[in-house]
Amino acid sequence: MARATISDVAAAAGVSQATVSRALRGSTNVSPATRAKVEQAAESLNFTLSKSASTLASGRTMRVLLLVSGPLNTWFNASVLQGVYNVLAPEGYDVIPSFVLNRSQLDRFFRNLPRDRNADAIIITSFKFDTTLHDQLSALGMPVVGLNSPSTAGFDASIGIDNASAIASGVHLLRSLGHQRIAFVHNYIPHDMVYGTSTRAAAFRAAAADAGYAEHDAIMIEADQRDAATATPGTTEASATTAAHIVARLLSCNRHPTGIMGETDEFTIPVYKELLRQHIAAPRDFSIMGFDDAPISRALDLTTLHQDPAALGSAAARKVLALLRGETIRHVHALVPATLVLRDTTGRAPAGR
Amino acid sequence: MARATISDVAAAAGVSQATVSRALRGSTNVSPATRAKVEQAAESLNFTLSKSASTLASGRTMRVLLLVSGPLNTWFNASVLQGVYNVLAPEGYDVIPSFVLNRSQLDRFFRNLPRDRNADAIIITSFKFDTTLHDQLSALGMPVVGLNSPSTAGFDASIGIDNASAIASGVHLLRSLGHQRIAFVHNYIPHDMVYGTSTRAAAFRAAAADAGYAEHDAIMIEADQRDAATATPGTTEASATTAAHIVARLLSCNRHPTGIMGETDEFTIPVYKELLRQHIAAPRDFSIMGFDDAPISRALDLTTLHQDPAALGSAAARKVLALLRGETIRHVHALVPATLVLRDTTGRAPAGR
DNA sequence: TTGTAGGCGTTATCAC
DNA sequence: GTGATAACGCCTACAA
């Protein structure tokens, strides 16, 4: 059976193609009677509108791109996708995920994007901002919404986690638990890096100073570049080797820190495990907390800062919708808080320190 | 600047539209010289072919659907997506993920699919097979490849994990470690269920019998339906309540099992944690193993059966490609093994049992 | 190897 | 409220 076209339906229903189109899209002025006739005809012919043809004629693709940094099978990225999908799918939009692992892939993505301008809007997550990116974004010619981007420039709207206040609340916790020296452990940050967690490192520095920590009482420990190089790019997870190196540096400090914050749960957990392996226990000997509240932190009872990437994705998608409809958005650039989740890895600082 | 069309490029390059089309698609007979001219003209006009127009004219959409059961932000589903993407994206295909949580959503999906026949093929993961589904699949009119489906019927090709032999190797492990009584713990399986892990339960029964376990020495413990109902559908994770109930049933057995296998890592871990909470330690008092080798099992040093969902996704995508190109596939329905990963939660059965 | 011309199946703009 | 009709931007025989 060759596929029925709109004119077949028109013939069957005894109306014009235009009317069929109107009726089937539910929208414009069509009398209830006609609509019923048309719908019935379409039904019996097993007819449905062709997306491609509609797209061509209308200029609307009903597709939105989701560009993430790092693999899609990351807790964060997958959850964002889920959230975006949840609000866009019911509206009839397809969401097309893409990802890039490094700067050159990112550039290639933007270079090829117009090649198949086949989306109405794009959501971009966790990219570090730079002027090149900015230019690329504005050249896109479609609504661009950012998700967890360090800067809002170049985006028509954005949503993100309030890293600064979240990190601050973590620092305050450690301080009130009596930890005299604290540390922030994080992955190696390449100079051409595309992911944006470096915001947290900066936030830690600021929050520590703010909370009264002297500079040498709030130290930063970054993963070794060589360790990072052997890992999958874009992964936030620390390898066992990376973790071992970090712990070595941590413990070899003169009067080592007892309060530790990690950039993400996934990065923090290997460090935590390595400490345990050294027979240094939390919260007896030290306190440690992650960031994200990913399932893995729950499994290990790790204290952490909760964020909800699916909610971020949904919020971003809602902004896309608003942009597409030309509605005015209340908070063009919104920031949502991350909240502290107390579990088993934080407690009063060991006495005598 | 209004978008350049193919005829603008044709004019600029001094050739016909047809030639531009041919040249830009890299394909058919075009002299190198002409091709260069065309490419340069396109470049300078910032022109690219419109996907929608190509689709309409050619009938090929360059899109493939990925339908998964359960949320996209599951380790398994997200990894499958990643794997599918990895092979399809370089070939110019967009992959459009969709998911359904239950039977009615699945039916709705199939009912609406022809409504926007806008894909060249579809990959379907982890769905329980039934005759209705079979009919729906064959009515699709496009290549359908199954991933981890209990049956191959209705699919043009399929790829999956060899649950039977994997589970068998787990049972053999427990047996050789001296566990006299073993148990399989798994989530509640709704009768209209769409996900396919029930295969593992059946495999456990068979493998246990095969290994010489009497029926009452190899017990099945299924999560309570009411517990499952309160959880997110499609999640393979056990809630704390579910886990507590399961452990209660486990320990209240006369001579309780000391060797435990779980349907997935995510489901197994809460059970494991609950056992620890009862001061019953692995591998001293019992052995427990998961299935999947998800990152979370590594974090908890859980013995498990390794599978690689991204590889499954890639394999499925390759079959899609072959189908689309009319190539003959070597193994239309392929099964890949899952391999045992020994970690810290399995060991010799406690003496005197 | 390259050009010509007729679709592909809708949507949108007008009239009526 | 409904009907013509001209786009929409490319692909693909077929001819040259």
Side-chain angles (χ1 to χ4, degrees):
Chain A
M1 51 164 184
R3 187 126 58 214
T5 79
I6 201 171
S7 60
D8 297 329
V9 179
V15 296
S16 71
Q17 298 185 15
T19 300
V20 174
S21 175
R22 283 188 285 252
L24 257 29
R25 273 175 300 151
S27 49
T28 16
N29 316 319
V30 184
S31 76
T34 326
R35 169 157 314 179
K37 256 193 318 189
V38 171
E39 281 173 347
Q40 191 184 326
E43 175 75 13
S44 73
L45 287 171
N46 195 24
F47 168 85
T48 55
L49 296 172
S50 149
K51 208 154 188 163
S52 321
S54 307
T55 292
L56 182 56
S58 70
R60 268 171 272 109
T61 68
M62 297 308 281
R63 263 168 253 141
V64 358
L65 260 33
L66 171 64
L67 176 65
V68 302
S69 59
L72 290 165
N73 55 348
T74 252
W75 171 75
F76 186 85
N77 286 339
S79 299
V80 167
L81 172 58
Q82 176 75 52
V84 169
Y85 181 99
N86 285 344
V87 358
L88 254 26
E91 300 292 328
Y93 285 89
D94 283 335
V95 10
I96 304 183
S98 324
F99 72 101
V100 298
L101 299 180
N102 54 46
R103 183 71 216 199
S104 72
Q105 287 187 12
L106 180 64
D107 288 335
R108 186 148 49 81
F109 179 87
F110 281 113
R111 217 177 313 115
N112 291 333
L113 192 52
R115 289 198 184 285
D116 30 76
R117 42 195 174 9
N118 61 164
D120 296 335
I122 181 170
I123 298 174
I124 301 188
T125 84
S126 307
F127 285 97
K128 180 181 179 196
F129 172 83
D130 63 28
T131 43
T132 313
L133 181 55
H134 180 198
D135 294 346
Q136 290 167 325
L137 293 187
S138 31
L140 241 40
M142 59 174 139
V144 182
V145 357
L147 197 159
N148 262 8
S149 309
S151 161
T152 60
F155 296 103
D156 297 306
S158 71
I159 180 86
I161 255 283
D162 188 346
N163 285 304
S165 77
I167 293 283
S169 67
V171 169
H172 294 155
L173 171 69
L174 294 179
R175 184 161 179 40
S176 66
L177 288 173
H179 295 276
Q180 305 280 314
R181 307 199 73 205
I182 59 179
F184 186 81
V185 299
H186 63 98
N187 216 337
Y188 167 70
I189 303 177
H191 35 279
D192 70 340
M193 78 114 166
V194 288
Y195 8 101
T197 40
S198 61
T199 318
R200 294 183 189 162
F204 178 79
R205 247 194 223 93
D210 218 54
Y213 283 99
E215 202 164 315
H216 59 273
D217 287 334
I219 69 178
M220 314 293 295
I221 303 188
E222 182 176 1
D224 190 279
Q225 175 173 6
R226 279 162 309 174
D227 288 348
T230 62
T232 314
T235 334
T236 52
E237 201 173 337
S239 70
T241 320
T242 303
H245 289 172
I246 286 182
V247 166
R249 284 157 66 192
L250 199 55
L251 297 183
S252 59
C253 289
N254 177 25
R255 287 173 52 239
H256 71 76
T258 57
I260 303 165
M261 294 185 68
E263 125 184 276
T264 61
D265 289 338
E266 287 183 321
F267 188 83
T268 309
I269 281 170
V271 173
Y272 172 42
K273 288 185 66 182
E274 177 64 19
L275 282 162
L276 295 181
R277 220 170 64 81
Q278 302 298 333
H279 306 290
I280 307 188
R284 188 194 65 196
D285 306 316
F286 70 101
S287 287
I288 188 166
M289 60 193 295
F291 199 125
D292 277 351
D293 196 16
I296 205 170
S297 68
R298 210 173 319 130
L300 287 179
D301 299 306
L302 181 75
T303 292
T304 193
L305 291 155
H306 172 89
Q307 73 167 324
D308 184 347
L312 290 177
S314 295
R318 264 180 244 112
K319 286 181 190 298
V320 163
L321 249 24
L323 248 18
L324 252 22
R325 293 169 178 160
E327 299 169 2
T328 49
I329 313 188
R330 289 78 36 98
H331 304 292
V332 178
H333 299 290
L335 232 41
V336 310
T339 55
L340 186 61
V341 179
L342 252 24
R343 288 205 267 252
D344 299 356
T345 58
T346 43
R348 284 215 63 78
R353 303 207 64 142
Chain B
M1 50 167 185
R3 188 126 56 213
T5 78
I6 201 171
S7 60
D8 297 330
V9 180
V15 296
S16 73
Q17 298 187 11
T19 301
V20 174
S21 174
R22 284 189 284 253
L24 259 30
R25 272 175 301 148
S27 49
T28 16
N29 315 320
V30 184
S31 77
T34 334
R35 170 158 313 180
K37 257 194 319 193
V38 171
E39 281 173 347
Q40 190 182 327
E43 175 76 13
S44 74
L45 286 171
N46 196 23
F47 168 85
T48 55
L49 295 172
S50 148
K51 208 153 189 163
S52 323
S54 307
T55 292
L56 183 56
S58 70
R60 268 173 271 107
T61 67
M62 297 309 281
R63 260 167 256 141
V64 359
L65 261 32
L66 171 64
L67 176 65
V68 303
S69 59
L72 291 166
N73 56 348
T74 252
W75 171 75
F76 185 86
N77 286 340
S79 298
V80 167
L81 172 58
Q82 176 75 52
V84 170
Y85 181 99
N86 285 344
V87 356
L88 255 23
E91 300 292 328
Y93 286 89
D94 284 335
V95 10
I96 304 184
S98 323
F99 71 101
V100 297
L101 300 180
N102 53 47
R103 182 72 215 200
S104 73
Q105 286 185 12
L106 180 64
D107 288 335
R108 186 147 49 83
F109 180 87
F110 281 112
R111 217 176 314 116
N112 291 333
L113 228 195
R115 289 200 183 283
D116 30 78
R117 43 195 174 1
N118 61 163
D120 296 334
I122 181 170
I123 298 174
I124 302 188
T125 85
S126 306
F127 284 97
K128 179 178 180 198
F129 171 82
D130 62 28
T131 42
T132 313
L133 181 55
H134 180 199
D135 294 346
Q136 289 166 325
L137 292 188
S138 32
L140 240 41
M142 59 174 138
V144 182
V145 356
L147 198 159
N148 262 8
S149 308
S151 162
T152 60
F155 297 102
D156 297 305
S158 70
I159 179 86
I161 256 283
D162 188 347
N163 285 304
S165 77
I167 292 284
S169 67
V171 169
H172 294 155
L173 171 69
L174 294 178
R175 184 161 179 40
S176 66
L177 287 173
H179 294 276
Q180 306 281 315
R181 306 199 71 205
I182 60 179
F184 187 80
V185 298
H186 63 98
N187 217 336
Y188 167 70
I189 303 176
H191 36 278
D192 71 340
M193 78 115 165
V194 287
Y195 7 103
T197 40
S198 59
T199 317
R200 295 185 189 161
F204 179 79
R205 245 193 226 94
D210 218 52
Y213 283 99
E215 202 165 315
H216 59 273
D217 286 334
I219 68 178
M220 315 292 295
I221 303 188
E222 181 175 3
D224 191 279
Q225 173 171 7
R226 278 163 310 173
D227 288 349
T230 62
T232 314
T235 333
T236 52
E237 200 173 339
S239 70
T241 319
T242 303
H245 289 173
I246 286 182
V247 166
R249 284 158 64 192
L250 200 54
L251 298 183
S252 59
C253 290
N254 177 25
R255 286 174 51 240
H256 70 76
T258 57
I260 303 165
M261 294 186 67
E263 130 184 89
T264 62
D265 290 338
E266 289 182 321
F267 188 84
T268 309
I269 281 171
V271 173
Y272 173 41
K273 289 186 65 182
E274 177 64 20
L275 282 162
L276 295 182
R277 220 171 64 81
Q278 302 298 333
H279 305 291
I280 307 187
R284 188 194 63 196
D285 305 317
F286 69 101
S287 287
I288 188 166
M289 60 193 297
F291 199 125
D292 276 351
D293 196 17
I296 206 169
S297 68
R298 212 173 317 130
L300 287 180
D301 299 305
L302 181 75
T303 291
T304 193
L305 291 156
H306 172 87
Q307 74 167 323
D308 185 346
L312 290 178
S314 294
R318 265 180 244 112
K319 286 181 191 295
V320 164
L321 248 25
L323 250 17
L324 252 22
R325 292 169 178 158
E327 300 168 3
T328 49
I329 313 187
R330 288 81 35 97
H331 304 292
V332 178
H333 298 289
L335 231 41
V336 309
T339 55
L340 186 60
V341 179
L342 252 24
R343 287 205 270 252
D344 299 357
T345 57
T346 42
R348 284 215 62 79
R353 304 210 63 140

